[in-house]
Amino acid sequence: SERLASTLAVEFRGAMALQLATRAASWLVALVAAWQLLRYAARHVAYGPPPRGPLARARARWLRGHMESWLRISSTFDSVLSGVTIEHIDEEGHIRASVVAAGLLLGADGFLHEGALFALVDTLTGMGQIAAGLFPGLTAEISLTCHRRVSAGERLYAEGRVVKVYENPLVVMQMDVYSAPHEASEKHLVATGKHTKSMRRPFIE
């Protein structure tokens, strides 16, 4: 009877160990599956089309007020655009802004400096990228085609938009800059800029 009891105890312990091992394996498989699902969700959020709706529109409205204020108080390079007025920005990445060609935006010859146009394209398209819910990263390429000179005192009108979003991950934006001596005057195309910028990789790879 003792031998039988010992045999049963050994078999019981073996069965319990097998049951625990089976449960542990099941939990491990479930954890791996959950991790893969979390990775997929993170990549979808980072690289996929950003969500649209009331929250996205609220984000764009918040950016419009706060980014304009930030330009006015910033001590960084972007402070050269402290006179910019953001007239429109939405959750699709469209942005319209204006600024008077004066002060630090002018070159020694009294005309608008081309570097000011680069700053407009760089900063404003970046704001449009943020408004569209696309994580901003490093500029990969920025180009500018100038069409005419701008005299001091003329007002510049910038119109930017998101052109294409790639999964590698890059976002391409374009901005057209116009000028007019007065608000009611006819606008003339000053420059066309293209900005290719990376998007930050998700926190889970």
Side-chain angles (χ1 to χ4, degrees), residues 178-195:
Y178 302 86
S179 73
H182 308 286
E183 189 172 347
S185 303
E186 181 183 358
K187 297 176 183 177
H188 301 280
L189 183 63
V190 171
T192 301
K194 183 179 179 182
H195 190 187

Side-chain angles (χ1 to χ4, degrees), residues 167-186:
E167 290 187 2
N168 46 351
L170 290 172
V171 55
V172 178
M173 298 158 288
Q174 184 172 318
M175 174 160 281
D176 298 320
V177 183
Y178 302 86
S179 73
H182 308 286
E183 189 172 347
S185 303
E186 181 183 358

Side-chain angles (χ1 to χ4, degrees), residues 3-202:
R3 181 177 297 179
L4 179 60
S6 177
T7 301
L8 290 175
V10 170
E11 290 180 355
F12 178 75
R13 286 195 295 269
M16 289 297 295
L18 179 61
Q19 186 177 8
L20 289 174
T22 302
R23 287 184 179 179
S26 299
W27 276 105
L28 182 60
V29 170
L31 286 173
V32 171
W35 176 252
Q36 294 295 337
L37 183 61
L38 184 60
R39 286 183 60 192
Y40 173 81
R43 292 180 67 84
H44 179 74
V45 169
Y47 300 150
R52 297 292 179 253
L55 290 179
R57 289 191 289 272
R59 178 188 61 227
R61 287 195 299 269
W62 182 89
L63 279 170
R64 177 182 177 182
H66 285 73
M67 294 305 288
E68 190 174 297
S69 300
W70 178 78
L71 288 174
R72 290 195 173 96
I73 65 173
S74 174
S75 58
T76 66
F77 173 76
D78 291 328
S79 62
V80 298
L81 301 177
S82 59
V84 165
T85 299
I86 299 176
E87 299 168 355
H88 171 81
I89 187 169
D90 62 30
E91 69 275 17
E92 299 292 337
H94 299 112
I95 183 169
R96 292 197 309 270
S98 64
V99 64
V100 175
L104 295 175
L105 301 182
L106 302 178
D109 56 1
F111 290 90
L112 180 73
H113 196 287
E114 292 81 0
L117 290 171
F118 270 106
L120 275 174
V121 173
D122 180 29
T123 301
L124 296 182
T125 55
M127 290 182 186
Q129 180 180 356
I130 296 172
L134 303 170
F135 300 102
L138 182 68
T139 293
E141 181 182 4
I142 186 168
S143 61
L144 185 73
T145 301
C146 296
H147 303 287
R148 65 184 295 272
R149 302 185 80 180
V150 177
S151 301
E154 290 191 57
R155 178 168 286 274
L156 300 172
Y157 300 89
E159 300 177 2
R161 62 191 181 278
V162 174
V163 176
K164 189 172 181 63
V165 180
Y166 296 92
E167 290 187 2
N168 46 351
L170 290 172
V171 55
V172 178
M173 298 158 288
Q174 184 172 318
M175 174 160 281
D176 298 320
V177 183
Y178 302 86
S179 73
H182 308 286
E183 189 172 347
S185 303
E186 181 183 358
K187 297 176 183 177
H188 301 280
L189 183 63
V190 171
T192 301
K194 183 179 179 182
H195 190 187
T196 302
K197 197 164 186 172
S198 67
M199 292 183 289
R200 290 181 185 171
R201 303 186 70 82

